[in-house]
Amino acid sequence: MEISWAVLASLFQFRIATAEQLRQLLAPDRSIEKMRGRLRLLREEGLVAEVVLPQSGRAKGWFLTGHGARIATAFLELAEVPAPRMPGDATAFKYTLWHQLAVMGTHLAFLADARARGDGYGYEPFDFVPEVTHRFAEGWDGSVRPDGLLFYGVSEPDGDVVRLRAFVEVDRGTMGAERLASKLNAYARCWSTKTLPAGIRAGTIAAEQDGRVPLWERRYVRFPQLLFVLAGTGRVGFDNRVGQLQLHAQDRHVARMLQAVPATAASLEDLQRYGPSGQVWYPLADRRAEPGGFHELTLPGAG
C-alpha cells in the first residue's frame, strides 16, 4: 500500500490522528520518524495540516486540509465512506479532536488484538467506517449514527471465519449518562422499525398478517451488535455509566432487541491494556453477568 495514499485515506476516515497512531495503523514495523517525515512532505504539498494537542507535551494531531479532503474524495475506495465534516481550521479542531482521537484509539485496540490473533480485521483499510447514518423514521430523532461501523472476521480453529458487524459508540464522559443510555432506545427503534416488502400494499390481508420486514434487512443479514466504548471518567465514572446503560436495557422495547442483539460496554483504557478479546466487556442485558471477551460475547448465539 502506498503510504501517502494510505495516510490521506486514513485521515479522511478518522478526521484526525497523531503520527504515532498513523504509524501503528499503517507502518507498525517502521520508525515514528519515517511517519513524521511523510507527514511533513504532505504538509508541504498542502494536503495536511497539524494542531498542537492541548496538555500533550507538544504532540501534534494531523488532519486533511480542504485540498487534501477534495483529493481523497476522488479515491474509489472511499466511495462508501462519509465525507469528513471539516471544522475549518486548526483552532476549530481543538474542540472536537479528543473524541476523534478516542475513536481512532478504539480502532487501533481492535487492530492490535486482531494482528496478534490472526483475525480478519484491518487488512482492508476500511474495516472501520465512521459515522454511517441509518435513518428509520422522519424527524431529528429518526436516525442513528454510530461513531463507527466495524467489520470483523473471527478466525476459528477449523479454519472457518465468522464475520461480525458492530455499531461502535465512543463516549469520553462529555455526554450525560442518561443521554448516553438513551441511545439504546434509538437503536431499539431502528431494530424494530419495519416496512412492507415490495408488492404488498398497506391494509391488505398480507400486510395485516405481519407481512412487514425489518427496515435494517435492506442493509444487513443480521442487525449489528452494539459496542459502547467509554473513556475519560475514571473507574467510578465508568461503573456509573455502565449502570445507566444496564438500567435502560431493562426498558421493554430495548429488552426485546437485546434478546437478539448482543450489547456490551468496555473502557477504552481496558481495551488498550488487555485487548478486545480480554475479559473487559460488560453485558448490558444482564447486570449480574461477568465481563467477557469480545469474541465470547458477540459471536452469533452467544451471550
Side-chain angles (χ1 to χ4, degrees):
M1 186 188 304
E2 205 286 319
I3 192 66
S4 292
W5 178 93
V7 169
L8 294 180
S10 298
L11 292 180
F12 187 94
Q13 274 185 281
F14 292 100
R15 310 340 187 198
I16 189 169
T18 66
E20 174 58 20
Q21 286 180 325
L22 289 168
R23 186 198 70 80
Q24 293 176 33
L25 177 65
L26 304 171
D29 57 340
R30 299 185 186 181
S31 71
I32 185 64
E33 287 306 319
K34 286 186 177 296
M35 179 57 68
R36 287 172 178 158
R38 181 66 58 167
L39 288 165
R40 286 193 292 267
L41 289 174
L42 291 172
R43 181 182 59 193
E44 291 172 6
E45 295 176 357
L47 301 178
V48 304
E50 79 269 31
V51 58
V52 175
L53 304 180
Q55 301 177 341
S56 65
R58 305 295 294 175
K60 297 178 180 177
W62 294 84
F63 59 95
L64 294 180
T65 62
H67 181 44
R70 285 190 294 273
I71 289 177
T73 301
F75 296 169
L76 294 178
E77 296 86 351
L78 292 170
E80 300 300 320
V81 177
R85 294 171 291 164
M86 306 300 290
D89 56 35
T91 300
F93 243 122
K94 290 183 179 181
Y95 295 95
T96 62
L97 59 84
W98 292 117
H99 177 79
Q100 300 298 344
L101 290 172
V103 172
M104 171 64 101
T106 299
H107 171 57
L108 289 175
F110 274 94
L111 181 58
D113 208 33
R115 286 170 174 166
R117 290 173 47 88
D119 286 340
Y121 180 80
Y123 298 100
E124 295 294 332
F126 312 112
D127 286 340
F128 187 104
V129 182
E131 299 179 354
V132 180
T133 298
H134 295 70
R135 181 159 293 283
F136 54 86
E138 297 297 327
W140 64 271
D141 60 346
S143 65
V144 293
R145 185 166 67 181
D147 291 305
L149 172 59
L150 182 146
F151 300 84
Y152 196 104
V154 179
S155 299
E156 299 209 299
D158 60 5
D160 288 343
V161 176
V162 177
R163 302 194 180 281
L164 303 177
R165 304 289 180 266
F167 291 138
V168 181
E169 291 282 353
V170 179
D171 181 70
R172 296 187 59 257
T174 57
M175 183 180 294
E178 178 76 15
R179 184 181 169 200
L180 172 68
S182 69
K183 286 178 175 283
L184 284 171
N185 294 309
Y187 280 108
R189 290 182 61 207
C190 183
W191 173 79
S192 63
T193 299
K194 295 183 177 181
T195 184
L196 287 173
I200 297 182
R201 293 182 294 108
T204 63
I205 294 176
E208 292 175 359
Q209 292 176 343
D210 201 25
R212 296 178 182 270
V213 296
L215 187 61
W216 55 263
E217 283 191 1
R218 294 180 178 180
R219 187 175 293 192
Y220 306 105
V221 174
R222 182 189 298 271
F223 193 84
Q225 295 133 7
L226 305 179
L227 304 177
F228 287 82
V229 178
L230 312 180
T233 62
R235 200 68 206 180
V236 173
F238 172 78
D239 291 342
N240 176 58
R241 298 173 92 73
V242 171
Q244 286 289 333
L245 286 165
Q246 291 173 331
L247 184 63
H248 271 69
Q250 299 174 35
D251 178 88
R252 178 167 56 92
H253 300 292
V254 176
R256 283 188 60 227
M257 174 187 68
L258 296 186
Q259 291 176 2
V261 179
T264 56
S267 78
L268 178 56
E269 293 77 11
D270 283 349
L271 292 181
Q272 293 171 329
R273 180 178 302 173
Y274 305 109
S277 61
Q279 306 297 297
V280 299
W281 295 96
Y282 289 77
L284 302 185
D286 185 355
R287 305 185 72 165
R288 297 167 297 179
E290 293 294 322
F294 168 69
H295 310 87
E296 302 167 24
L297 297 171
T298 60
L299 283 172

